[in-house]
Amino acid sequence: MTITHLVTHSGGFHADELLSSVILTLLFPDARIIRTRDADWITPAPDRVIYDVGRDHDPARLIFDHHQKNPPLRADGQPFSSFGLIWQQFGQDYLRALAVPEDDVASIHAGFDADFVLPIDLVDNGALSPEGPLADLSLPLLLESLKPVFDDRDPEAEDRAFDCALTIARAFVEAALARKAAKRRAEGVVLQAIAAAGTGAVLELPMGMPFRGAIDKAGADHLLFVVSPRDTDWCVTGIRRDAEGFALRADLPEAWAGLTDAALEAASGVPGARFCHNARFIAVAADRDAALRLAHLAVAEAQPAP
């Protein structure tokens, strides 16, 4: 199969066909994007993938639309956009093209679908509305904000804007997937560190890395703080209580809040203590020993002896 054209609709663009184009242009790098509603182009043929246009969904004929009377639905009844349909069909091949290890492909494919693709599908279908003061900063609205303004009458303005938005959309997709792949790589390291920590409340890691998922997977509810090196110093970091929100399992001591250098050394009694954030979720020390001492002092305050 030689795909020479990627066909989607002309006019104003949305996040779903932009993000679909991210997937397809990597898999078919020599194919040309055609933005049109011309009947000849949106009719299935062996040389093209058609998406978000055509009013049909038939993966065997490489047409992926969701605007027809009986649109395709997920197994749980939630609607697809073209992005969800393209991800379902091509997502695992896309991950392989990004050199994701084969053992991780299925889990990352499913995780990205749940965390990234599904919200795009729901917003595109009007089943989810971004709300609150950050609504305009949601990814679908940010991408759509790159469309030309209403009185830009240049006939090529839409296509130029689409090309610009595609570059930005690609960066978001690749960054989100890189983070998921990194979490998978980190998980094994964190699980080993949890085993080494035993029943202690301080988890020591060899470098800064994602740790929350592995802590939850291990059921390590006894852990309160993480200690890890940075470029020239060491950090003591609190662990969030829940996946959402900022509440911690334990805060650093209130007496340390906002202190630096000599003031923090005096308050903590730890030479090499350098900084404690006002919000008491992170502290910095000059070396490993100082960081561990701060962490254990914080544990002692959070869990006073009976």
Side-chain angles (χ1 to χ4, degrees):
M1 178 178 64
T2 301
I3 299 299
T4 58
H5 294 90
L6 307 173
V7 183
T8 191
H9 62 81
S10 55
F13 54 80
H14 301 94
D16 66 327
E17 78 267 21
L18 266 175
L19 294 163
S20 297
S21 299
V22 170
I23 308 306
L24 295 171
T25 52
L26 180 69
L27 293 176
F28 306 106
D30 296 326
R32 177 186 172 197
I33 294 178
I34 301 293
R35 301 183 67 244
T36 182
R37 298 183 188 274
D38 181 83
D40 289 338
W41 274 114
I42 64 175
T43 299
D47 64 347
R48 66 194 62 168
V49 180
I50 302 167
Y51 53 105
D52 211 40
V53 72
R55 297 190 180 277
D56 194 9
H57 174 240
D58 186 350
R61 296 189 301 149
L62 298 180
I63 182 167
F64 304 89
D65 198 12
H66 66 109
H67 296 103
Q68 53 271 36
K69 184 176 181 180
N70 296 306
L73 301 175
R74 294 169 176 269
D76 62 1
Q78 296 191 94
F80 280 108
S81 74
S82 64
F83 186 34
L85 296 174
I86 291 296
W87 185 251
Q88 182 184 60
Q89 182 72 18
F90 296 103
Q92 293 201 14
D93 289 337
Y94 177 80
L95 294 174
R96 294 183 182 103
L98 291 179
V100 171
E102 187 63 33
D103 288 347
D104 294 340
V105 166
S107 63
I108 291 178
H109 181 268
F112 187 73
D113 183 68
D115 299 341
F116 193 109
V117 181
L118 176 59
I120 299 294
D121 286 355
L122 295 179
V123 169
D124 189 79
N125 283 283
L128 176 66
S129 178
E131 297 178 349
L134 297 179
D136 287 344
L137 299 180
S138 66
L139 182 59
L141 295 184
L142 283 174
L143 291 175
E144 290 180 31
S145 74
L146 299 173
K147 292 188 288 190
V149 293
F150 78 97
D151 52 358
D152 184 346
R153 311 313 300 169
D154 185 335
E156 296 182 358
E158 290 280 2
D159 286 343
R160 283 200 306 269
F162 184 93
D163 290 343
C164 175
L166 179 58
T167 299
I168 295 169
R170 187 183 313 281
F172 277 110
V173 170
E174 291 181 353
L177 287 169
R179 288 196 302 275
K180 285 194 174 295
K183 287 181 180 179
R184 292 284 295 178
R185 295 194 303 273
E187 184 176 279
V189 178
V190 178
L191 290 174
Q192 287 183 347
I194 291 171
T199 60
V202 177
L203 178 68
E204 183 176 356
L205 296 176
M207 65 185 73
M209 63 181 68
F211 54 77
R212 173 61 196 266
I215 289 174
D216 288 345
K217 182 176 182 177
D221 296 335
H222 60 288
L223 292 173
L224 299 182
F225 297 100
V226 176
V227 170
S228 60
R230 301 196 304 186
D231 290 339
T232 59
D233 52 28
W234 285 67
C235 284
V236 180
T237 307
I239 299 171
R240 290 188 182 183
R241 184 184 305 155
D242 304 302
E244 302 294 334
F246 296 98
L248 301 178
R249 294 181 176 184
D251 295 315
L252 292 165
E254 185 175 359
W256 301 356
L259 299 183
T260 60
D261 300 326
L264 183 57
E265 288 185 337
S268 65
V270 177
R274 290 288 174 261
F275 166 74
C276 181
H277 197 281
N278 265 318
R280 299 156 56 201
F281 66 90
I282 188 171
V284 177
D287 53 43
R288 176 177 178 269
D289 288 344
L292 287 171
R293 287 186 62 188
L294 287 174
H296 287 297
L297 286 169
V299 169
E301 179 158 318
Q303 297 179 332

